[in-house]
Amino acid sequence: CKLGGNDANRAFNESLSLRFEGDFDRIAFEKALNSLIMRHQSLRAAFTVDGSQMVVFKDLPLNYSFEDLSMSSLNQIQKENLIKKYARNEVMHIFDLLYGPLFKFSLIKFSEKEFFFTLTAHHIICDGWSIGLLIQDLGKFYSSYVQNIIPVLPEADQFTSYAREQSKFIASNEYVRNENFWLDQFKNNIPDRKSVV
């Protein structure tokens, strides 16, 4: 991202959009979004200039935009065009890797029973698999809050635990053996694509 500027920053965005149809409790949803941020360290993360360290904020305000279009007279084609344009704009968001937040939530209300939600995050904190986990957790929080019950989720894996394990591995003899193996494999020649296939 430092070398490629804004275009490189945007190229690493992950995004997922969902349509909600039916009864929807926006207050419970916003509470679920806040709970999601507190549950997952990566959503409260930023990085040092050289990228060597990750900072996890104790808390972070909800990065959330809401647009109420329920009073507009959009037909279905206009809605679909607006959704495509909106989703494209969301995925082009430029995240500040030093100060965060590195995610963004957006919600459009088309009517009392029709909503469009987008979660966008920089790939430095998530991937397609982890976005799926975030959406599962969001659904569990939302369902609990709508029912006025305390959410019960298993303890989340923390990114700092993974980072500690990775640092421990890098300092190990096993890591040195692995590194030496691969350096030895390619010491004379790095294979081109044709020889790998």
Side-chain angles (χ1 to χ4, degrees):
C1 290
K2 283 170 58 176
L3 293 174
N6 290 343
D7 287 339
N9 187 306
R10 284 188 280 253
F12 285 98
N13 285 354
E14 301 279 335
S15 189
L16 174 90
S17 295
L18 300 171
R19 290 176 193 251
F20 301 138
E21 294 180 357
D23 293 335
F24 184 74
D25 184 333
R26 197 173 126 214
I27 293 169
F29 187 68
E30 290 171 7
K31 189 174 178 182
L33 291 173
N34 275 310
S35 294
L36 192 69
I37 294 167
M38 291 311 298
R39 177 171 170 76
H40 293 284
Q41 288 180 332
S42 62
L43 294 178
R44 292 179 278 118
F47 293 82
T48 56
V49 174
D50 66 358
S52 67
Q53 294 183 40
M54 181 171 121
V55 176
V56 177
F57 299 104
K58 185 176 179 180
D59 55 27
L60 202 62
L62 181 60
N63 190 18
Y64 168 73
S65 63
F66 173 71
E67 195 167 348
D68 187 346
L69 299 179
S70 59
M71 299 308 246
S72 65
S73 55
L74 297 172
N75 63 38
Q76 197 56 38
I77 293 171
Q78 290 170 320
K79 279 184 198 174
E80 294 303 319
N81 288 336
L82 187 140
I83 285 171
K84 285 178 188 172
K85 183 179 177 186
Y86 193 82
R88 194 170 33 250
N89 286 342
E90 289 297 292
V91 82
M92 298 302 283
H93 183 77
I94 298 164
F95 289 104
D96 186 336
L97 301 181
L98 298 180
Y99 300 103
L102 302 179
F103 68 91
K104 187 173 188 286
F105 301 129
S106 303
L107 184 68
I108 300 174
K109 176 181 179 181
F110 288 113
S111 71
E112 291 303 317
K113 295 192 179 277
E114 185 183 6
F115 293 81
F116 182 77
F117 170 70
T118 301
L119 159 62
T120 305
H122 196 280
H123 188 59
I124 199 168
I125 64 162
C126 74
D127 56 14
W129 178 74
S130 56
I131 281 185
L133 293 177
L134 291 173
I135 294 300
Q136 286 176 20
D137 286 354
L138 180 61
K140 291 171 187 172
F141 282 126
Y142 176 74
S143 293
S144 295
Y145 295 141
V146 164
Q147 298 172 57
N148 284 319
I149 59 175
I150 296 170
V152 179
L153 281 75
E155 189 172 332
D157 292 330
Q158 297 301 316
F159 195 84
T160 50
S161 299
Y162 170 77
R164 275 193 290 276
E165 288 296 318
Q166 194 70 7
S167 294
K168 199 162 109 180
F169 175 66
I170 288 171
S172 72
N173 290 333
E174 183 183 356
Y175 177 82
V176 172
R177 281 192 303 276
N178 285 343
E179 182 180 43
N180 288 336
F181 171 82
W182 288 109
L183 289 171
D184 189 53
Q185 288 289 104
F186 301 115
K187 69 181 173 192
N188 295 325
N189 188 14
I190 296 175
D192 62 15
R193 290 178 122 199
K194 293 175 188 165
S195 65
V196 173
V197 176

